Amino acid sequence: MASSTETLEFQAETRQLLQLVIHSIYSNKDIFLRELISNASDALDKLRLESLVDSDLDADTSDPHITLEVDRDAGTLTVRDNGIGMAREEVVELIGTIAKSGTASLLEKVKAAQDAEAAQSLIGQFGVGFYSAFMVADKVTLRTRRAGTTEGTLWESDGEGTYDISTAADLPVGTEVTLHLKTADGEDGLADYLADWKIRAIVKQYSDFIRWPIRMAVERGAEDGVTITEMETLNSMKALWARARAEVSEAEYHEFYKQISHDWTDPAEIIHMRSEGTFAYDALLFIPSQAPFDLFARETKRGVQLYVKRVFIMDDCEALVPNYLRFVKGVVDAHDLSLNISREILQHDRHIRGVRRRLVKKVLGTIKDMQANNAEGYTKLWDQFGRVLKEGLIEDTDNTETLLELISADSTHDPEKTTTLREYVARMRDGQDAIYYLTGATRTAVENSPHMEAFTAKGYEVLILTDPVDEVWVDQITEFDGHRFQSIAKGQVDLDADTDEGDGEEKSKREADFAALLPWLAATLGEHVKAARLSSRLTTSAACVVGDTGDMTPMLEKMYRAMGQQMPPVKRILEINPDHPLISGLRTAHEKNPDDSALPELAEIILGTALLAEGGDLPDPARFARQLTERLSRSL
C-alpha cells in the first residue's frame, strides 16, 4: 500500500547521462545483475556493521541473504536483500536522482571518452551502476525500508523523463528491485534473463564469491502431479583469499586453483597475501607446476583476475602482473575500486601500480625461496617457466638483480646439471673478470662451436645459452655481481691475459708472418667480412667468424627479420688459426704467388666451413658446394 506519491522529472543533464548508461556505455548487458547483486551485498555489509554499533537496532541479522525471483508470467526479475535498506531521503539522494554537483562536467567527459571502457569507468566513478538495469528493463520498481524505521519507500521509473516516489507501508527491512524485462533479442545483446541457466551463468561468472548466499527458487520435478520447488544457493561463497591462511586447507587451495586455471595438476606454490592501509586488497596467487600449451602464443592471456569486494571485474588483468609473469594464476580482490573501472584507468592508477610492484616482488621472492630451500622443485619450475622469466630481464629493470639471481643455465662445468650465476662466479678462475657465455640453437651446437676450443683447452667455464630470449637480454644486461658478461663469439679474447701466460715475442713474430695474408683475406672476402685477424680462441679449427663487441649476433638478426623488421646485414670478422695446416699452407701459397687464381676460392671455402661450424648460414650454398666438390676432385 503506497501513499504520498510524487512524480518528479529528471534534469536535462541527468536524462542525457541516463540515456548514455542505457544505450552506449555497457557493451555487455549481463553486468546489470552483477551491479544489483553488488548493491545488495553492500547493503548486507552495512546492516552487519550497524547492528554491531547499535545493539538496539530493529533488524533481523540471523540469516542475511540475497534472493533472485523470476516471474515468467509477469516477465519480471526481482533482486531482494534483507540488508540495511534505505529511508525516503536516501532513495532520493542515491537512487531517485543522479543529479549532483559536477553532473555537467561528467557528462562532457563521458561524451569525450575515446572508447566504451573509458566511458564506463567514468560512469562507475559517478556511482550510477544501478541504472544499468534499464538496459534490460522497460521499467524498474524499487521497494525499500531502512532498518530502525517503520515506513518504506516505493520508487519507480521507465528510465525516460520522470520517476515516481511514494511512501509504502508493510515492507520488510531491506531492498527489493523488480525489473520489468524487455523481450529477449539476441541481435541487441538481450538474453532471456528469466531463464534459470542464464541467471546461474551470470552469478557464477561475476558473483560466485560474494560472501552472502544468493538464493533462487528452482523446480526439482514433480511428485504425484505436484511441482516441487526448492531454494537453491547459486554462489559458492568460497572466497578463499578473504580467509586467513591457517583456516584454509591445502585441498581447498588446490581445488580453487583447478577451478580458476582449468589445470588438473596441483600448483607448485601458493601465495596468499593481504594488504591493509590506504589501499586494501587480498591476493591469492598460484605458481603452476607445468606450463600451459599456449604460454608463448601471441594471444595468451595473463592469469590474474581482478575482483572488487568479491565481485568479478575482469580476467587477464594486465595492470596487475607483467607479461613475463603471465603464467601466474590467481585473484586480486581490491576493496576500494569502482566496479566499472576500465583497463585504461587501471594502467595509470597509482594504487594498482603499487599492488603490481608488491605482487611481482612476492612472486619472485617465492621462486627465490624455492631455489634456496627446494632445489628439486625449483629445477622443475625453471624447466617450465625459465624461458619466460628471462623475458623479465628485458621488460622489468626494477627487478633485474633478482631475476639474474634466479637464472639457471647450462654450462660446460657439468653436462647434466644447470648452474646459477652465483655458482658460476664462485667457480671463476683467479684473475678471471668476465662471465663467459655463448648463445646458440642447441647445447650440442654450442659445445662443438670453434669459439669454444681455447676455453675448453684452458679449463674456462662457459655458460651455454640456447633460448631465443637469451640473444636479447645478454645484449642489455652488462654485468652480474661486478663481473661483466662477455660473449666468446664477440670481440678479442685473450685468455693468456687472465693467467699471465703467453709469449709476447712469439705473438709479434706470428703477426709479422701473416702481415701480408690478413689484408688479402679481408679484401678477397670483403663482401662478407669486414676484417681478418689471427685468433687466440682456436686450437683445432682452421677459422671462425666473430662479431665486434657491440655487433648483433646472426641469430638475433634472424629473429628480427622473422618479426618483419628489415635489418642491415652485419659484417663480421674472420679469425684464422695460425697453427692449422690449412692456414699455414695458404700463407705459404700466398707468399709464393699472391695472384694464384685458386687462392680466392680456397679463402671462400675457409669462410664457408667457419660459418657451418658455428651453425650459421652460407651466403651462397650452391656456390660453396660446387667449390668444395671441385677442390676435392682435384685432390684425388
Side-chain angles (χ1 to χ4, degrees), residues 198-244:
K198 183 61 178 177
I199 294 172
R200 289 175 191 273
I202 296 174
V203 171
K204 187 70 176 176
Q205 179 175 1
Y206 293 107
S207 307
D208 193 46
F209 302 116
I210 291 287
R211 76 172 69 190
W212 312 111
I214 302 170
R215 299 170 181 163
M216 182 174 70
V218 296
E219 295 181 357
R220 295 299 189 192
E223 289 185 10
D224 300 327
V226 178
T227 300
I228 299 174
T229 302
E230 296 178 356
M231 293 301 294
E232 179 182 329
T233 299
L234 304 182
N235 58 324
S236 70
M237 299 177 285
K238 292 182 179 179
L240 299 189
W241 61 82
R243 292 158 56 184

Side-chain angles (χ1 to χ4, degrees), residues 543-561:
C544 68
V545 184
V546 300
D548 269 338
T549 303
D551 283 352
M552 187 181 299
T553 66
M555 186 174 289
L556 188 56
E557 233 183 298
K558 283 185 198 174
M559 287 169 56
Y560 280 122
R561 288 204 177 97

Side-chain angles (χ1 to χ4, degrees), residues 574-592:
L574 178 67
E575 285 193 355
I576 57 174
N577 179 1
D579 296 325
H580 195 280
L582 179 60
I583 300 302
S584 58
L586 176 62
R587 178 178 68 85
T588 302
H590 182 263
E591 285 178 349
K592 289 180 178 178

Side-chain angles (χ1 to χ4, degrees), residues 324 360-361 364 389-407 421 473 476-480 485:
Y324 73 92
V360 170
K361 289 189 180 299
L364 295 182
L389 278 168
K390 285 187 283 190
E391 293 175 12
L393 293 168
I394 307 164
E395 302 171 7
D396 188 358
T397 55
D398 292 339
N399 292 291
T400 297
E401 292 303 317
T402 302
L403 287 163
L404 286 173
E405 293 279 4
L406 294 177
I407 282 181
L421 295 179
W473 75 260
Q476 296 192 14
I477 309 299
T478 57
E479 63 175 42
F480 170 76
F485 288 104

